[in-house]
Each structure stands twice: as C-alpha cells, then as structure tokens.
Amino acid sequence: LERMFLAITTGPALLERAEELFPRLRFGGRAHEQIDALSGHEPIFRQLIWQLRVLNQAVSDWEEGPFEPRGIQWSVESTSTLTNGKYGPMRDFPAPEGFSQQRWSLHAKLAGGARLYFRFEREVEQGVVLIGYFGDHLPTVKYP
C-alpha cells in the first residue's frame, strides 16, 4: 500500500487514482482544479497526500457521533469570519456532485499556511468526507 502512495508524484496522478486510494473522499470542483495543478514538487505535496489518507481512514473508522479526524491538525472557522460579508463568501466552494452547497468551515492546517477545507457527510449507509479547497490560507476577520 505504501508503494502505491509513493508512486503518486503529481496532482493529476493523485486525482486519477483517488477513487482507489481514497474511496471515502469526494472532491469538489475547486479542490479538483487546485490538486490537478500540482506538479508534485511543492513542499506540501506529500503532506497533502498524508492529510487525505488520514481523512479517508478517519471516515472509514467512523461509526457514530461527531466526526473528529485524529492525526491531523484541524479547526473550525470562526463565526465572525463565516458571517462576514467579505470573508464568508470566500469559503463558498463548490460541493462534489450530489451534495448540497454550504459554506465550508472545517479545515486542516498544513505547513506553510496551506489549508484543506473538508466536511463530513452521510452517503447511504456510510460517511464520506468532501474536499472543497486546497490552497493558501484565506483571509479571516482576525488575519485579513
């Protein structure tokens, strides 16, 4: 299994094998474009793969109650940022097909200030994690 992940050397290669490597993750349009643009030489590329692995495993292990991925640093966006007229809409990423649009709040923190916005959803009898955004830290009320 580890060899499979090491064989992923670019964003397009990651997306091409996403269903196989991350069967419980669903990528929205913006996240798909952002990951597709990665050459694989970015300092955070391997960290992105790690984060996706952790989220996929966490949702695979989830049975009931709140979804709380362990093994990554993540947080909830502040209410003041989410409701701000300027900063809130910056978190309106497209949802994967078949899922409702909503403002994204949960985000994993990667080195260099990068963020991976995600949310937990139920899909039939199992949980899935939607990926809405991967990129630079977005401005907030606290850090404009």
Side-chain angles (χ1 to χ4, degrees):
L1 185 65
E2 199 60 39
R3 199 174 302 143
M4 285 187 346
F5 286 103
L6 290 173
I8 303 301
T9 58
T10 67
L14 187 157
L15 292 169
E16 186 177 302
R17 302 207 36 213
E19 281 186 44
E20 171 191 2
L21 298 172
F22 313 110
R24 301 288 283 279
L25 304 185
R26 309 287 181 268
F27 295 85
R30 183 149 180 209
H32 194 279
E33 290 171 10
Q34 291 165 315
I35 294 169
D36 193 49
L38 296 174
S39 69
H41 298 293
E42 297 83 2
I44 56 171
F45 185 72
R46 288 284 149 206
Q47 195 177 1
L48 169 64
I49 292 174
W50 170 257
Q51 302 268 334
L52 295 174
R53 288 178 70 177
V54 168
L55 288 169
N56 187 74
Q57 189 60 53
V59 75
S60 297
D61 295 343
W62 176 85
E63 292 179 7
E64 62 184 17
F67 176 69
E68 295 186 23
R70 299 194 184 346
I72 59 172
Q73 184 184 2
W74 62 278
S75 61
V76 177
E77 200 64 77
S78 71
T79 301
S80 58
T81 292
L82 290 174
T83 58
N84 181 279
K86 179 179 179 182
Y87 303 125
M90 292 179 176
R91 287 145 179 87
D92 292 340
F93 316 120
E97 191 173 325
F99 294 93
S100 66
Q101 287 300 120
Q102 30 181 291
R103 189 154 290 170
W104 298 70
S105 173
L106 302 178
H107 55 281
K109 300 175 178 185
L110 290 83
R115 297 292 187 263
L116 178 70
Y117 278 79
F118 65 93
R119 76 180 207 233
F120 170 78
E121 292 279 339
R122 280 190 185 277
E123 186 179 71
V124 191
E125 294 296 316
Q126 65 182 14
V128 293
V129 170
L130 310 184
I131 307 296
Y133 173 92
F134 171 71
D136 292 335
H137 183 279
L138 297 170
T140 65
V141 169
K142 194 173 180 180
Y143 301 104

